[in-house]
Amino acid sequence: MTEDTRTPVAAPETPTGASPRTTSSSAGLLAGPVGRNLGLVVAFALLCIVGIITAGDRFASTDNVLTILRLAAVVGVVSIGMTFVIIGGGIDLSVGALVALASIWATTLSTQAMAADTHWILMVGAAVLVGAIAGLVNGVVIAYGKLVAFIATLAMLAAARGLAEIIANRRTQIVQDQDFLRFFSGSPLGVPTLVWMFALVAVAGWVLLNRTTFGRRTFAVGGNAEAARLAGIRVQRHTVALYVLSGVTCGLAAVMLMARTTTGSSTHGTLLELDAIAAVVIGGTLLIGGRGTIVGTVLGVLIFTTLSNVFTLNNLSSSAQAVAKGVIIVAAVLLQQRVAAGRRQRRSSKALPPTAAEGAPAGASPGVPAP
């Protein structure tokens, strides 16, 4: 019998007073949604500090804060719907055009005449219904027609914008119903109604994504559609539902724009799809699907809107704003890629056998000393 002269391998050191399980759980927490949202909160706080330093009381005034929230509301509502679509593995480039089409349809003379005879809620219903139908068309073409989401929604963008121009004859339609305008221009508890709408949509979106079967299925479909199908999820039907949901949020955003501008126009929502996608990406939602948060999207919307407000207060050009937004989007996507690569590396290292990870000779079994 020979004596084993191998030098024992020292266990990795952990911080004093912390167990390995505690350390790993803390690192996992910071790497998860909480850590990402915390980073967004810090970025938003820094942006607010810059605004206070450069614009002073003009930025920190209550009126300016409410202005930021009011401007963020429309983009925010559309971004909530976009979050679901992107988590589900899709993309929707038609949201801006759908907002325009819904606003035009809801402000036609016939629609406003029927609303005058009944109630202004008919205008809201018309806008939401138009958005839902357009979203249904998107979903059916993508899920059952097997058309790439980018191409299908790009086609809807062109078609919806053109249809809006045809219906309105390239003219701006004025909202005549004063009760409609009075309701949406109000400020319950000192907060504009549009901001309340954004808050309610965000809360409903959070509950739907995190506390319902629909949300769990959305993550599953976006993470691996084939695995979701094998697990019994009707992937095609769920994909259609995601685009209908996006269309509904476009209809609500159209109502908000109608209230804010007192008009329906085929130019409403121009480039809104880019702002929504940018906010969702900044909020930490992966463009490849399978991961994202509503809280992150809300913070992304606030960051972009506040950035534009700071630029405006400091008399900087819109071109400079566009450059800054572009840089932020690229930085966010690069950060996503690094995080995803690090996660894959950690998973692959965990999948290695203990002997291989510790550098034991090939063919040695765990717990059996080498000869």
Side-chain angles (χ1 to χ4, degrees):
M1 182 175 180
T2 60
E3 183 181 357
D4 187 4
T5 59
R6 291 181 302 160
T7 304
V9 180
E13 295 182 1
T14 58
T16 305
S19 64
R21 179 177 299 177
T22 304
T23 305
S24 62
S25 62
S26 300
L29 183 65
L30 292 177
V34 174
R36 291 193 297 271
N37 291 338
L38 181 60
L40 291 172
V41 171
V42 172
F44 179 61
L46 292 175
L47 185 58
C48 290
I49 292 173
V50 171
I52 294 173
I53 293 174
T54 57
D57 293 338
R58 290 184 301 155
F59 176 83
S61 65
T62 302
D63 289 340
N64 187 61
V65 172
L66 293 178
T67 298
I68 292 174
L69 294 175
R70 194 180 294 111
L71 293 175
V74 174
V75 182
V77 169
V78 174
S79 298
I80 298 298
M82 184 71 77
T83 302
F84 279 88
V85 171
I86 294 181
I87 291 176
I91 193 83
D92 192 350
L93 299 180
S94 66
V95 291
L98 296 189
V99 168
L101 179 60
S103 72
I104 285 294
W105 203 293
T107 54
T108 56
L109 292 177
S110 58
T111 303
Q112 294 202 63
M114 288 188 290
D117 293 337
T118 54
H119 195 275
W120 56 260
I121 199 69
L122 183 65
M123 297 171 62
V124 177
V128 173
L129 182 61
V130 168
I133 292 174
L136 177 64
V137 173
N138 276 336
V140 169
V141 170
I142 293 168
Y144 295 98
K146 304 299 181 183
L147 197 61
V148 177
F150 183 91
I151 301 300
T153 56
L154 185 62
M156 178 60 76
L157 181 154
R161 187 76 67 180
L163 182 58
E165 292 176 353
I166 292 172
I167 294 173
N169 197 21
R170 294 180 179 271
R171 295 177 181 175
T172 298
Q173 300 176 163
I174 307 299
V175 177
Q176 304 290 344
D177 196 309
Q178 295 303 312
D179 291 335
F180 174 90
L181 298 176
R182 193 175 300 111
F183 176 83
F184 287 101
S185 62
S187 297
L189 302 178
V191 179
T193 301
L194 301 185
V195 179
W196 282 114
M197 290 180 65
F198 176 31
L200 290 175
V201 171
V203 171
W206 184 89
V207 172
L208 185 63
L209 184 64
N210 296 284
R211 292 293 183 268
T212 66
T213 304
F214 183 88
R216 290 192 292 272
R217 289 175 178 172
T218 300
F219 283 110
V221 170
N224 190 323
E226 181 60 20
R229 186 187 67 80
L230 295 175
I233 298 175
R234 297 183 178 180
V235 175
Q236 291 175 315
R237 190 171 71 176
H238 191 82
T239 299
V240 172
L242 290 176
Y243 284 94
V244 171
L245 177 61
S246 178
V248 168
T249 58
C250 290
L252 291 174
V255 172
M256 297 165 74
L257 266 180
M258 289 158 48
R260 199 176 76 191
T261 63
T262 70
T263 63
S265 173
S266 59
T267 61
H268 280 338
T270 302
L271 298 181
L272 183 59
E273 59 276 356
L274 300 184
D275 289 337
I277 293 172
V280 173
V281 171
I282 292 299
T285 299
L286 286 180
L287 282 173
I288 59 175
R291 192 190 79 187
T293 64
I294 297 297
V295 175
T297 295
V298 171
L299 290 171
V301 170
L302 292 177
I303 287 174
F304 265 124
T305 309
T306 305
L307 179 67
S308 298
N309 182 261
V310 171
F311 272 69
T312 301
L313 291 177
N314 288 280
N315 297 321
L316 297 175
S317 67
S318 57
S319 300
Q321 294 182 34
V323 171
K325 287 182 179 180
V327 171
I328 293 174
I329 293 171
V330 171
V333 173
L334 289 176
L335 181 61
Q336 282 189 4
Q337 291 178 347
R338 292 192 58 132
V339 170
R343 181 173 296 179
R344 286 194 299 268
Q345 187 176 4
R346 287 194 298 271
R347 286 177 179 174
S348 61
S349 64
K350 288 179 180 179
L352 289 175
T355 53
E358 295 173 3
S365 300
V368 179

